[in-house]
Structure formats: structure tokens, C-alpha cells
Amino acid sequence: MGVGGLATSDMVLNIGPQHPATHGVLRLKIVLDGERIVSADPVIGYMHRGVDKLFEVRDYRQIIALTNRHDWLAAFGNELGIVLAVESMLGMEVPERAVWLRTLLAELNRVLSHLMFLGSYPLELGAITPVFYAFREREEIQAVMEEATGGRMHYMFNRVGGLREDVPAGWTGRVREALTAVRRRLPDLFSLVSGNDIVIARTRGVGVLDAATCAAYGVTGPIARASGLDLDLRRDQPYLAYAELFAPGGPGRVVTRSAGDCMARLEVLLEQLEVSLDLAQACLDRLETLPAGPVNQRLPKVLKVPEGEHYAVTENPLGFNGYLVVSRGEKTPWRCKLRSASFSNVQVLSEMLPGHLVSDMVAILGSMFFVVGDVDK
Amino acid sequence: MSLVKGLVTTMRTAFRRTTTKEYPDVRPELPPRSRGVIALLEENCTSCMLCARECPDWCIYIDSHKETIPAATPGGRERQRNVLDRFDIDFSLCMYCGICIEVCPFDALFWSPQFEYAEFDVRDLLHDKERLGVWMGTVPPPPALDVKAAEPAEIAAARRPPRGTGLVGP
């Protein structure tokens, strides 16, 4: 079947593994009929490190150093999952101050991750300017993250039982300033992205994904919510201090859209950014009312986790991030399975891409918000 | 038109002061906790190997030998101590997690925000104990903790009455 009855043959086109639109090493095998995509097949594994196996030969502190690396834009969220799993297996209670600090840092990390995609997505659509505005705000928040944790990407700040150490004096004040500055300047970024005619032309009605397909493929996070799948673990299965933040009257709310196209995904991200800033602000206010106290528990020299298994899942910036820890009473897990958000989010590409033009592929790929390290694990 | 809205933002920003700091000319101000390089205070190291064992990718190499110190007083006992021969950290493998610094029971390892040690040859990233010692000069004092923080363990321990003073009875 060809265009206008002319005899054409399908062409197989490889996008990646080294292609700027895949920001990372994702390869897409695309079968084309003219400019239209007939079928698409994401080929993954170019960055496979076998973390599941690496976890098995490391103790629970060393694992944190690894977990913080698969989704390198959300290191704090990743660390959180594994320590929450271990804490619940140990039946360990975390000091209240640590819970609120963790929530605050997790939300700051979410802001960082969202800003990254809000900068890089327009870049893929051909708009070079927004990324500079996104990075200016990122730098503001990254500075306070670095001051507390010592790292710019791999924070290594969680420990089983709390945090590594308390935050420096005056830090909360500087977080407040950073949040105010980001909030004040966000309209700059929004004015470049939302409502822009070119962005609308490239994204509206492109790459429509319905809620049923999302559920079938295990797509979660902002992408699923843009398709109308009202699912957010912070509200539905609250961990840390989210039960209080997402309670009626609290600052937390779940952002959803129903269109399911690239535009909707971008809008969800933009709005979630504001929600996360509100949540971070609420955490700061709450921290001020808390009494002084420790941020961690005293641990034994050799930390052994009792026999059993536990699945802990958290809402990372890109979707569900889960760890299934199976312990046989050793100081290393017997098995530790990682469920990463981007892995599922990328699988759905084979459903989404057919029928679209090659030029729309870049717009769709960019709107799927994935991190290749999180895909390949 | 919406495109004008974006251009207005660009124009407004064009007349603002730049936020970019041009690195080689302008030094970054790094917080004291910043993880740049690991410094070694050799005198404190007892070559107990804890750091080398706890390292998640085993990039610390330690060799040591035992030395016998003759008795200080006549009829006294000879003592043995560990002498550090080699203490290397391979920064081409290091994940900068800081576990070695955390587990060191004798405060021999410290973080320094110094980061300017890029090399043309990956093998030169193996820092020996002399080079790790040089970094000690760049280690900043730790920042004061938040007012709501719990008392540091060292201070809490110093406040506790000493154990076993040897005085029994009145």
C-alpha cells in the first residue's frame, strides 16, 4: 500500500541509540511508509547495569549509593524507596523531624526533575530559550540541596532510620528564599511555554494516549495523569508526611488532564511544579513548629534485616518507583527487584507512535519524560 | 499573539544582569559539605581497613605492616602498632558516596569541596596517601547545625559523667 497508489516499500529507520532526541541511549526501530510510522519498537538495554544483581552483594547503606543513580534526576526519591522498604521490614519508627525533612527534600527534588523536563522538552520541539530559564530556577534549588546534602545529583542523604545528618544552620531560611525566588520568576518560564502558538501546534492532539492503555502498560506518574488516570501514591497510599499534606484543606492536590496528548502532559508538569512548591512551603512551615530532635536512629554496626519480603512503592517525579526486598536475615538482601517508572513509560511507545509522522515522533518521545538510566536499570 | 508574550520576556531578561558565572575566571562558592575530593589525615589512620571494606565499589587500597615499639621503661612490655604503607583511592572508580568517611572510627578521612583534579590519563586519578594528604589543607570546618537539631553525639557524650572513675565507697 503506498501513497496515492504508487508502489512503495517500507523503510526501517533506526533512531538512536545515539540520537539527540532520545537524550540517552534509547534506540527506536521504526518502520516507515513514506513519512508515516507503521510500527515502532523501543530497543532498550544499552545502559543495562544489572542493578538487581548489584543490590544483592551490597549492604543496605551501599545500596543507597546505587539506588540514587538509576533515575539521576530524582536521586532523593530513589533513595527514599529503599530506606522506606528496609525501615518497614525492621519495624523502625523514623523521628518526626526526619519525616518532614525527607518530605521537603523529596518535593524539592520533584521540582528539580520537572524543571529539567520543562526545559528539555521545548528544546526538542526547537525552542532553545526556555531551557535557560528552567536551569536558572534549577540552580536556585540545587544550591540549597547541595548545601544540605553535599551533592548536586547523587544526594546520598537518606539512611535507614532517617537522614545522614541534620541540615546546616540557617538552611531552612535559604530554602524559603529559594522557593520565593523560583515562584516569582516562574511566570517567565510559563510565558515562553504555555499558550505559545508553536508549542500548541506541535503538541495539541499529537500522541494521544488513553487511560486504558496507560493502565495496561503500567504507565504512571504525570503521563498517566495527563491521560485522565487519577492516580498518585502521595494521596492514594500516603507515605512520609503526605497523608497530612494531601488531607482535605491541605496544599496537596493531584493534577490531571483528560486529553492525553503531548500538550496535556506538558500542562500536568507545569501545574505539578506549582503544587510541589506549595508542598515544600508547607513542609517548611511545619518544620518550624516541630520541637528540636534527632533526624536519625542509632543503628547497629552490622544492620541485618529480618527474614521476609516487602514491596515499597513511592511516587517519583516520573511515576511509581518500587523496590521489592526479599531478605533472608543477612546484611544484604537475598533479592531486590527494582520497578522503575521510565521502564514502563517507554514500553507504551510501540502503541503510541504508529500512525504519526516522523517529525511528531520527536514531540511524542520528548513528552514521555523518561530517564534512560531508569529504563535500562 | 502569544509569540510576542515570549519575546517580551526575552527582552526583559536581556536587560537584567547575567546570572552565569564564568568558571575559570570566577571561582564557584561551594558549601562546606560539598563532596569534591576525599582528604586523608594520615596520623589518625590505624589501617583498620573499615573504609576499604565498606566501599561499595572497593576503590580504596590499603597496605600496612606491624612495627614493634621497644618497651619504654625497663621491664615494660613491647608494643605493636600498625604502620601505613599504602593508602590509595582510585577516583576513577569512586562513586562519591561518602561511606568511607562515615565509617572511619578515627576521623582520618574528610570531604573537601576541591574538585580541580581532572587528568588526561585515567590512571592518574589514583591518588596515593601523599596526594590525599595534600587535600587536608582544603577541608573546611563543618557548618553549624540547625537550631532544632539534636545535640551532636560527641557533645552529648562529653556531658555524661565519666564511667568507672575507680572510686568505690565513701
Side-chain angles (χ1 to χ4, degrees):
Chain A
M1 284 171 288
V3 183
L6 288 169
T8 57
S9 60
D10 288 349
M11 180 174 79
V12 179
L13 183 68
N14 277 303
I15 311 282
Q18 303 290 343
H19 189 276
T22 64
H23 47 98
V25 278
L26 176 77
R27 176 173 154 218
L28 281 174
K29 227 160 76 184
I30 291 174
V31 180
L32 291 174
D33 176 17
E35 281 224 45
R36 213 159 275 282
I37 297 170
V38 177
S39 69
D41 188 14
V43 183
I44 62 168
Y46 287 91
M47 213 200 274
H48 182 62
R49 290 142 291 162
V51 281
D52 289 18
K53 280 286 154 194
L54 293 175
F55 288 154
E56 287 171 20
V57 289
R58 277 162 180 81
D59 69 28
Y60 292 101
R61 179 162 46 188
Q62 294 172 334
I63 286 177
I64 299 170
L66 283 181
T67 55
N68 86 47
R69 280 163 168 80
H70 58 262
D71 177 355
W72 49 71
L73 294 176
F76 196 85
N78 302 341
E79 294 175 2
L80 208 51
I82 191 77
V83 293
L84 288 175
V86 175
E87 279 159 12
S88 74
M89 287 177 88
L90 286 165
M92 187 181 264
E93 191 90 16
V94 177
E96 205 185 3
R97 195 172 145 74
V99 170
W100 283 95
L101 273 174
R102 275 179 175 180
T103 318
L104 168 63
L105 289 161
E107 286 310 314
L108 289 178
N109 200 185
R110 196 180 310 276
V111 172
L112 281 177
S113 171
H114 284 2
L115 276 172
M116 177 73 210
F117 286 107
L118 286 174
S120 75
Y121 185 46
L123 200 62
E124 273 151 29
L125 296 175
I128 300 167
T129 318
V131 73
F132 298 111
Y133 292 84
F135 266 69
R136 184 178 65 185
E137 311 319 332
R138 263 176 72 83
E139 194 53 45
E140 201 75 53
I141 297 190
Q142 204 133 46
V144 290
M145 287 299 267
E146 188 181 6
E147 191 192 340
T149 67
R152 289 175 65 84
M153 285 182 97
H154 305 306
Y155 305 113
M156 212 36 211
F157 201 50
N158 276 297
R159 289 294 179 273
V160 174
L163 297 169
R164 189 183 69 208
E165 55 193 330
D166 213 301
V167 295
W171 182 79
T172 44
R174 284 187 285 280
V175 177
R176 221 174 262 280
E177 281 165 28
L179 289 177
T180 317
V182 171
R183 213 186 280 272
R184 195 184 62 235
R185 293 187 308 220
L186 264 191
D188 283 0
L189 178 64
F190 284 23
S191 73
L192 294 168
V193 181
S194 57
N196 185 301
D197 285 337
I198 302 172
V199 172
I200 292 172
R202 289 292 307 272
T203 56
R204 181 166 287 166
V206 173
V208 179
L209 182 65
D210 59 274
T213 318
C214 277
Y217 277 80
V219 176
T220 50
I223 302 170
R225 286 194 285 274
S227 302
L229 202 62
D230 190 4
L231 201 60
D232 192 320
L233 289 176
R234 293 176 293 171
R235 180 199 59 194
D236 304 333
Q237 200 182 305
Y239 53 99
L240 292 182
Y242 287 121
E244 195 180 317
L245 290 169
F246 276 78
R253 65 196 161 87
V254 179
V255 182
T256 52
R257 289 286 183 280
S258 53
D261 56 0
C262 296
M263 184 78 205
R265 289 191 277 275
L266 186 64
E267 281 171 4
V268 167
L269 225 55
L270 283 166
E271 205 178 323
Q272 277 197 25
L273 196 60
E274 287 177 342
V275 175
S276 284
L277 288 173
D278 290 344
L279 288 174
Q281 196 82 44
C283 289
L284 277 175
D285 294 341
R286 192 59 215 275
L287 272 168
E288 268 175 16
T289 65
L290 288 181
V295 291
N296 46 27
Q297 297 271 18
R298 270 183 71 88
L299 294 178
K301 273 243 159 58
V302 178
L303 181 72
K304 288 187 176 168
V305 171
E307 223 166 295
E309 61 177 80
H310 183 76
Y311 180 62
V313 60
T314 56
E315 181 78 29
N316 250 23
L318 300 180
F320 292 4
N321 187 68
Y323 297 93
L324 173 72
V325 183
V326 182
S327 173
R328 295 209 168 162
E330 299 292 318
K331 61 174 195 169
T332 61
W334 181 75
R335 172 87 169 94
C336 186
K337 164 85 177 77
L338 165 65
R339 184 251 189 251
S340 60
S342 308
F343 180 79
S344 310
N345 294 359
V346 158
Q347 303 310 320
V348 81
L349 280 170
S350 56
E351 290 272 335
M352 286 174 80
L353 288 174
H356 283 100
L357 296 174
V358 179
S359 50
D360 285 339
M361 183 219 60
V362 179
I364 297 170
L365 204 58
S367 75
M368 290 310 284
F369 313 128
F370 59 89
V371 170
V372 178
D374 206 28
V375 175
D376 286 348
K377 300 190 270 194
Chain B
M1 210 164 120
S2 67
L3 296 182
V4 179
K5 205 171 82 184
L7 287 173
V8 170
T9 305
T10 307
M11 280 305 284
R12 262 210 320 266
T13 313
F15 295 108
R16 288 216 189 110
R17 279 181 49 189
T18 53
T19 43
T20 313
K21 297 190 186 85
E22 299 197 8
Y23 159 60
D25 305 321
V26 185
R27 302 261 131 190
E29 273 176 43
L30 294 172
R33 283 188 187 174
S34 197
R35 302 198 297 269
V37 73
I38 297 167
L40 168 73
L41 189 61
E42 208 189 317
E43 301 88 280
N44 281 2
C45 181
T46 61
S47 43
C48 69
M49 303 287 285
L50 268 179
C51 51
R53 280 206 327 245
E54 288 289 322
C55 176
D57 48 7
W58 305 285
C59 69
I60 303 179
Y61 308 98
I62 298 175
D63 282 335
S64 66
H65 69 270
K66 280 202 161 46
E67 220 166 58
T68 310
I69 308 169
T73 48
R77 199 157 55 86
E78 282 183 342
R79 283 172 196 281
Q80 286 204 317
R81 72 180 188 104
N82 286 323
V83 179
L84 195 62
D85 296 323
R86 177 185 182 215
F87 191 108
D88 294 354
I89 298 182
D90 192 344
F91 282 108
S92 64
L93 293 176
C94 178
M95 300 209 295
Y96 296 83
C97 66
I99 289 177
C100 50
I101 291 158
E102 212 175 294
V103 297
C104 181
F106 302 103
D107 287 339
L109 292 170
F110 298 90
W111 273 121
S112 153
Q114 178 57 254
F115 60 92
E116 291 163 309
Y117 53 98
E119 301 283 357
F120 286 100
D121 189 334
V122 73
R123 288 167 291 185
D124 295 334
L125 282 170
L126 184 81
H127 290 198
D128 57 12
K129 66 182 194 311
E130 281 71 36
R131 188 135 185 233
L132 291 170
V134 171
W135 298 126
M136 270 315 289
T138 62
V139 174
L145 292 183
D146 196 87
V147 282
K148 292 252 170 107
E151 217 171 28
E154 292 86 347
I155 293 177
R159 281 196 194 176
R160 266 199 303 271
R163 214 166 32 168
T165 45
L167 295 170
V168 181

